[in-house]
Amino acid sequence: MAYCTVCGTKLQPKFLEHEGEIPYCPNCQEFRFPQYNVAISAIVRNPAADKILLLQQYGGQRNILLAGYVNRGEAAEQAVAREVREEVQLAVQQIKFNRSEFFEKSNTLMLNFSCQATSEQFTRNQDEVDQVQWFSFAEARQQIAAGSLAEKFLDAYLDQL
């Protein structure tokens, strides 16, 4: 962040006790802590908890986890339920935090959760999802986009089982 988001003045580094060097606006006389986006990704299991839902989006050919941004005022767990419902028309339960990682490319803190769908019968949102399919755990490991953050989240989740 090079400029104040309130007045546009160039920010200067300034020491703040217990925090270190923080961007500071000399005009507003306020510290400007880093801002970033927050998104969720979801490891969606079927009702029998033996398959994982992977999808392809926006013309991509890579299988990924379902994901989306957290809306202002929304809890991350609410975002999981909303995004799953919006993208594949499934209700979910047992939403549990898995892990997080900052994704520099989009300035986004990714929060990964696991959840269980109440049905295997999905209907994809054709505006957002090109392909969607249930995979066994072993198949999901093989089919997830290699080198992706989704792969890291999925592997960590499956390794804990």
Side-chain angles (χ1 to χ4, degrees), residues 53-70:
L53 193 70
L54 298 181
L55 53 90
Q56 296 175 3
Q57 290 183 292
Y58 308 117
Q61 301 299 310
R62 296 165 31 119
N63 286 311
I64 58 172
L65 299 172
L66 191 144
Y69 287 98
V70 177

Side-chain angles (χ1 to χ4, degrees), residues 34-61:
Q35 296 180 347
Y36 50 86
N37 304 308
V38 179
I40 60 88
S41 72
I43 297 167
V44 181
R45 298 180 318 269
N46 66 335
D50 61 357
K51 294 180 185 171
I52 292 175
L53 193 70
L54 298 181
L55 53 90
Q56 296 175 3
Q57 290 183 292
Y58 308 117
Q61 301 299 310

Side-chain angles (χ1 to χ4, degrees), residues 10-28:
K10 185 166 179 62
L11 297 174
Q12 302 170 349
K14 184 175 180 178
F15 182 80
L16 178 62
E17 189 174 353
H18 305 293
E19 296 290 338
E21 294 286 322
I22 302 294
Y24 181 80
C25 177
N27 184 52
C28 296

